[in-house]
Amino acid sequence: MQRRKFISTLSKSLAVFPALSFVAFDNKDFVIDEIKVYRYDINTVRHFSWGTWYNRQHAFIKFRAGAHHGWSEMVASTNNPDLDIAEWGTFLEPFKGMTVKEAFEFITDEQVDANSKLSVGQMEVIEMCLLDLAGKIAQVPAVELLDMTEHRSVPGLYTILQKDLDVISSQIQAAIRLNLNSHVKFKMFGDTKLDKRIAILAREALGDESMILADANRGYKNWSSVEQLAEVMKELHHSGLDAMEDPATLSVEQWIELQKLVIPLKLVPDYPLRPAWHGLKIAQPGMGAVFNFHPASMGSLRDLNPFAKKIKKFNADIMVGDDSLVGPACNVWQQIAIGVGALWVEAIEKEQDSDAYLSCVKSKPTYRDEKGYFAADFQPGFGLELDEQRLEDICRHTLVH
C-alpha cells in the first residue's frame, strides 16, 4: 500500500521533474552528508578518427544521504595519469549539505542557465547519483521515476576501436567467445579504402546474421555534396555495414537527404542530439533510422523518456551508446536502454577494463540473460551495491567531501 501511495504522488510533482514528488525529500533526513570520488585507472589504448586514448582516468562518484547512497561514473580525463582527483572533483562541493530536492532543483536551474559552471557531463553524473538516491529513499526503481516502462532484454553492442586489421580480427574472435557477436561496432576513420577493408573483414568474420555498425565520428570531410557522400556510404554498405553513426558534420536537412539516398543503410545521428534537451528540440523525422542516446553527453536523464517517445512517433529506433564506461554507469545505462526499449546498448562492462571493478560488486540489477542480452531485475534506485573497502584498495586515489 505504501509503495502504491508513493507512486500515486508522482503525478503531483514539481514541474522541474514531472515523474517525482519531492515532498518526502525536502527534510533533514535526506541531506547529502557525504560525497566520495574514487579514481579508477585504465591503460587500454582506444583509437578514434580524431586521435588516440593511451590511458584514461575514471571517477566513480558516491552521494550519501543518511542510510542511502547513489552511484555514478564519468571519464575524468584521458592521457593524464597525473590527474589530481581532488582538483577535478571541486564541482561536487556545493552539493554537500543540500537536500535531495535542493540538489535536483540546482542542476535544473543550471540546465537553463547560459552561464552555467557545470559541464553537460558533470550535470549528468550528479543527476545519476540523485536518481539513485531518490529511488532508494522511495523504494522505487529509478526507471520508474523516469517513467520508463519497457522490460525486454536488450542486445549488447561490442565495440572495437582499432585500425590494425590483425588486432581487429583478434577482437572479433573475443566478441564471438563472449557471445557478444550479434551486434558489433567498429570505429572508422574517414579513409574510404581503410574503412572498406574493415567492413569487409567484419562481415566475413561475423557472418550474415550479425548487425554491424560503424562510427566515423564525423570523420568524412572530403565531400562537396550530399550525393557524393552518399556514394561513399553505399560503398561501405555493400562492403558489409548495416548502419553508420555520425559519418560527417551535417545539418538536419543534410541528415534527412543523406538517409533517403542510402537506404537500406541505417544512419545513426549522435553528435547533433547532444545534450538531450537540444536533441529533443531539433530531431526531425527522416534524419536517421536509429537515434543515439550518448552517455556523458545527454546532460539530463529526465529528458530521455520524452525524447524516446518523440523518436518512436517518427517510426525510428533508439540505441544507447557509450563513453568507454566500465563501472557504475554501465549498470545505469543498461537499465535506461531496457526502459526505453532500445535496439541495443553499447555501455557494457568490458573485459579487462571492468575486471577490477566487478570484483567489488556485491549486487546489481543488470545481468546477461540466456540469449546473451542485457536484462534487469529492477531494484530501488539503480540498485548497485559495492564493497567499498575493496574499491578503495584497487583505486589509486579517493576524495571525500
Side-chain angles (χ1 to χ4, degrees):
M1 178 64 71
Q2 284 299 105
R3 175 181 166 83
R4 288 200 300 273
K5 183 178 179 181
F6 181 85
I7 293 293
S8 73
T9 68
L10 301 185
S11 62
K12 302 175 184 177
S13 57
L14 298 179
V16 295
F17 195 178
L20 180 62
S21 170
F22 286 114
V23 175
F25 304 116
D26 194 20
N27 63 61
K28 294 180 180 179
D29 291 333
F30 305 125
V31 167
I32 298 165
D33 48 26
E34 182 182 65
I35 298 172
K36 282 190 176 182
V37 183
Y38 297 89
R39 179 179 143 182
Y40 182 92
D41 289 3
I42 297 170
N43 293 303
T44 303
V45 176
R46 288 178 171 256
H47 296 289
F48 303 89
S49 59
W50 41 261
T52 300
W53 288 355
Y54 295 98
N55 54 72
R56 61 192 196 274
Q57 298 72 43
H58 286 234
F60 297 167
I61 303 168
K62 176 190 174 186
F63 280 20
R64 182 169 65 84
H68 303 284
H69 57 268
W71 287 99
S72 65
E73 172 196 1
M74 71 182 296
V75 179
S77 66
T78 59
N79 299 331
N80 184 20
D82 297 323
L83 172 72
D84 183 341
I85 198 70
E87 181 179 350
W88 177 87
T90 56
F91 73 94
L92 298 166
E93 290 177 356
F95 294 90
K96 185 176 180 181
M98 289 187 184
T99 64
V100 173
K101 175 185 176 181
E102 289 168 343
F104 269 121
E105 291 178 332
F106 183 84
I107 59 171
T108 300
D109 290 342
E110 289 279 349
Q111 174 176 308
V112 297
D113 180 0
N115 298 313
S116 171
K117 295 179 181 179
L118 290 176
S119 71
V120 166
Q122 289 168 345
M123 289 172 59
E124 187 175 301
V125 294
I126 292 164
E127 187 185 80
M128 192 177 290
C129 280
L130 295 174
L131 281 165
D132 197 9
L133 258 178
K136 286 171 179 169
I137 291 168
Q139 289 295 291
V140 175
V143 290
E144 288 189 27
L145 298 182
L146 293 167
D147 198 28
M148 296 174 179
T149 58
E150 298 285 345
H151 289 87
R152 294 187 302 274
S153 60
V154 175
L157 182 68
Y158 188 90
T159 301
I160 297 175
L161 303 177
Q162 299 289 338
K163 61 171 61 176
D164 183 293
L165 297 182
D166 290 334
V167 176
I168 291 171
S169 292
S170 67
Q171 292 198 357
I172 290 173
Q173 294 308 309
I176 294 170
R177 172 174 53 81
L178 294 168
N179 193 26
L180 286 169
N181 55 310
S182 67
H183 295 71
V184 184
K185 172 176 170 177
F186 295 84
K187 192 58 60 179
M188 295 207 159
F189 300 92
D191 177 338
T192 306
K193 184 176 179 181
L194 171 62
D195 291 349
K196 285 174 64 176
R197 292 176 69 191
I198 293 172
I200 291 167
L201 170 61
R203 182 56 69 193
E204 288 178 348
L206 289 165
D208 293 336
E209 298 303 313
S210 293
M211 194 291 302
I212 298 177
L213 168 68
D215 182 2
N217 287 116
R218 299 175 293 150
Y220 279 88
K221 302 181 185 300
N222 296 322
W223 53 278
S224 56
S225 68
V226 172
E227 290 82 4
Q228 183 183 3
L229 179 60
E231 290 306 311
V232 177
M233 296 299 104
K234 289 176 185 178
E235 287 185 55
L236 292 169
H237 171 63
H238 292 311
S239 298
L241 294 190
D242 294 304
M244 171 62 85
E245 183 180 338
D246 279 358
T249 300
L250 301 165
S251 67
V252 170
E253 292 75 17
Q254 288 172 325
W255 274 103
I256 294 169
E257 182 181 358
L258 183 62
Q259 180 63 90
K260 287 179 181 176
L261 292 172
V262 300
I263 293 171
L265 180 71
K266 297 178 186 293
L267 293 185
V268 183
D270 171 8
Y271 187 81
L273 309 181
R274 309 179 191 179
W277 56 84
H278 171 71
L280 183 56
K281 290 178 182 177
I282 66 99
Q284 296 294 322
M287 70 180 287
V290 184
F291 288 68
N292 189 5
F293 290 173
H294 192 289
S297 302
M298 294 290 93
S300 177
L301 307 184
R302 291 173 274 175
D303 287 317
L304 297 183
N305 198 52
F307 199 178
K309 289 179 178 178
K310 180 178 180 179
I311 290 165
K312 289 179 179 181
K313 287 182 180 178
F314 301 163
N315 292 318
D317 288 302
I318 300 154
M319 68 166 280
V320 167
D322 194 14
D323 192 47
S324 299
L325 300 167
V326 299
C330 293
N331 171 63
V332 171
W333 282 101
Q334 288 159 25
Q335 291 181 58
I336 289 171
I338 294 165
V340 299
L343 285 183
W344 56 78
V345 55
E346 187 181 356
I348 63 177
E349 293 86 357
K350 296 155 183 68
E351 193 174 28
Q352 297 181 327
D353 289 2
S354 298
D355 290 353
Y357 158 75
L358 288 172
S359 73
C360 303
V361 174
K362 295 167 68 176
S363 64
K364 63 184 180 74
T366 54
Y367 62 96
R368 290 182 63 197
D369 66 14
E370 66 279 357
K371 297 182 297 183
Y373 288 16
F374 286 80
D377 292 326
F378 294 116
Q379 302 295 321
F382 290 115
L384 178 67
E385 298 293 339
L386 296 178
D387 180 339
E388 287 195 68
Q389 183 57 61
R390 169 68 179 154
L391 189 60
E392 288 187 13
D393 291 344
I394 67 172
C395 290
R396 287 187 57 189
H397 300 282
T398 305
L399 166 68
V400 181
H401 289 303

